Amino acid sequence: MKHLLTRRTIRKYSDKTVSEELLNQLMGEAARTQTMGNLQLYSVVVTRSPEMKARLAPAHFNQPMVTEAPVVLTVCADFHRTTRWCQERQATPGYDNLLSFLNAAIDALLYTQTLCNLMDEQGLGYCYLGTTVYMPQMIIDTLQLPRLVMPVATLTVGWPAEEPPLSDRLPLESFVHQETYHDYSADDIDRYYTAKEQLEENRHFVSINHKQTLAQVFTDIRYTKSDNEAMSATLLDTLRRQGFC
């Protein structure tokens, strides 16, 4: 897929409609992706109405593309449907546990990535929102998700109205390990990360945040220990509420 080599995150969209026919076609094709036990442990909630997008926006820190994109897709780890199937077929389900959530989440994320690849081929733009697992209860309440359904990914989708530069990537040797995992020396870290750190945009990022290194921007500002711990507690509480632990 040559499209992967030029994949961009798109946050600005044209007014052109994403047809229901095209979207359904792509979502149907994406269902051919890998799935545990051939159970397809995912569901997708399609949001088009301005009112519903506005209600979802606070869960994503009111990022503008949530309300501006023609379509918002919330992909959920879903063991509710499979559980209902079992109940209706004289079978006793046992999927109210953490392992089942992990299996369903993996299914949902594999589906999400396949759908992204298919949208790339059609020229659609999208933005993957990592905020989905930060305040999941707001999404659950807004979308009326039942027990054993958990949001794990959100995509804003539309026809691109921008062509941002490609984001940088670490070299292959930084993440591929032959036979066993080989830990990183200080020299390895220098070799793999210096090019990223020297990019003008990243040097600017460090400067405007009054930090000494790019790593400090991530640890002290973007993904702090306190925020991670607080959102981890929220995530665990939500998983309990949804019946997964």
Side-chain angles (χ1 to χ4, degrees), residues 10-16 18 47-50 53-54 57 62-72 156-159 161-162:
I10 302 298
R11 295 179 174 86
K12 296 181 180 179
Y13 307 96
S14 74
D15 295 332
K16 182 180 176 182
V18 178
T47 302
R48 290 182 180 270
S49 79
K53 285 186 284 187
N62 291 307
Q63 296 178 85
M65 55 273 194
V66 176
T67 53
E68 293 172 2
V71 182
V72 176
T156 59
V157 182
W159 299 103
E162 63 173 346

Side-chain angles (χ1 to χ4, degrees), residues 106-120:
I106 291 168
D107 257 26
L109 292 174
L110 285 170
Y111 176 88
T112 301
Q113 185 57 63
T114 299
L115 180 59
C116 286
N117 293 343
L118 292 170
M119 290 193 295
D120 277 326

Side-chain angles (χ1 to χ4, degrees), residues 157-173:
V157 182
W159 299 103
E162 63 173 346
E163 190 174 348
L166 294 176
S167 54
D168 64 283
R169 290 292 184 267
L170 294 172
L172 181 70
E173 59 269 24

Side-chain angles (χ1 to χ4, degrees), residues 16-87:
K16 182 180 176 182
T17 301
V18 178
S19 73
E20 184 175 1
E21 180 182 13
L22 175 60
L23 187 59
N24 285 343
Q25 173 194 326
L26 298 178
M27 291 192 295
E29 291 174 358
R32 297 305 307 170
T33 200
Q34 306 94 316
T35 170
M36 194 203 78
N38 201 30
L39 289 172
Q40 295 178 250
L41 303 171
Y42 50 79
S43 284
V44 184
V45 181
V46 180
T47 302
R48 290 182 180 270
S49 79
E51 178 187 0
M52 288 299 290
K53 285 186 284 187
R55 289 178 60 189
L56 281 173
H60 299 289
F61 300 97
N62 291 307
Q63 296 178 85
M65 55 273 194
V66 176
T67 53
E68 293 172 2
V71 182
V72 176
L73 303 178
T74 305
V75 186
C76 304
D78 185 350
F79 245 118
H80 176 77
R81 184 182 63 251
T82 301
T83 294
R84 289 291 299 122
W85 172 57
C86 292
Q87 292 169 339

Side-chain angles (χ1 to χ4, degrees), residues 9-243:
T9 295
I10 302 298
R11 295 179 174 86
K12 296 181 180 179
Y13 307 96
S14 74
D15 295 332
K16 182 180 176 182
T17 301
V18 178
S19 73
E20 184 175 1
E21 180 182 13
L22 175 60
L23 187 59
N24 285 343
Q25 173 194 326
L26 298 178
M27 291 192 295
E29 291 174 358
R32 297 305 307 170
T33 200
Q34 306 94 316
T35 170
M36 194 203 78
N38 201 30
L39 289 172
Q40 295 178 250
L41 303 171
Y42 50 79
S43 284
V44 184
V45 181
V46 180
T47 302
R48 290 182 180 270
S49 79
E51 178 187 0
M52 288 299 290
K53 285 186 284 187
R55 289 178 60 189
L56 281 173
H60 299 289
F61 300 97
N62 291 307
Q63 296 178 85
M65 55 273 194
V66 176
T67 53
E68 293 172 2
V71 182
V72 176
L73 303 178
T74 305
V75 186
C76 304
D78 185 350
F79 245 118
H80 176 77
R81 184 182 63 251
T82 301
T83 294
R84 289 291 299 122
W85 172 57
C86 292
Q87 292 169 339
E88 294 294 329
R89 296 295 183 270
Q90 296 76 53
T92 304
Y95 307 124
D96 52 348
N97 45 65
L98 183 59
L99 178 63
S100 295
F101 167 70
L102 288 175
N103 284 330
I106 291 168
D107 257 26
L109 292 174
L110 285 170
Y111 176 88
T112 301
Q113 185 57 63
T114 299
L115 180 59
C116 286
N117 293 343
L118 292 170
M119 290 193 295
D120 277 326
E121 290 182 352
Q122 293 292 327
L124 282 166
Y126 57 86
C127 180
Y128 177 93
L129 303 183
T131 47
T132 305
V133 295
Y134 290 175
M135 293 187 285
Q137 192 62 52
M138 294 180 66
I139 299 173
I140 290 166
D141 293 342
T142 299
L143 301 182
Q144 301 179 27
L145 304 182
R147 187 174 185 271
L148 298 183
V149 179
M150 185 76 177
V152 295
T154 301
L155 300 171
T156 59
V157 182
W159 299 103
E162 63 173 346
E163 190 174 348
L166 294 176
S167 54
D168 64 283
R169 290 292 184 267
L170 294 172
L172 181 70
E173 59 269 24
S174 71
F175 57 85
V176 174
H177 301 255
Q178 301 296 338
E179 308 300 342
T180 60
Y181 190 103
H182 296 278
D183 206 352
Y184 299 93
S185 67
D187 286 343
D188 290 333
I189 295 300
D190 287 343
R191 186 165 64 254
Y192 299 147
Y193 282 88
T194 296
K196 175 192 268 304
E197 292 166 337
Q198 292 302 314
L199 290 172
E200 182 59 35
E201 59 265 35
N202 285 337
R203 295 175 66 177
H204 179 66
F205 203 24
V206 173
S207 175
I208 63 174
N209 285 289
H210 308 291
K211 295 296 176 182
Q212 294 177 309
T213 70
L214 182 62
Q216 289 175 349
V217 175
F218 284 86
T219 60
D220 300 352
I221 298 174
R222 293 197 68 183
Y223 307 112
T224 68
K225 178 179 175 62
S226 59
D227 285 348
N228 288 340
E229 289 176 345
M231 288 186 284
S232 292
T234 297
L235 181 60
L236 286 171
D237 182 61
T238 307
L239 285 171
R240 291 188 188 98
R241 289 170 180 261
Q242 292 303 100

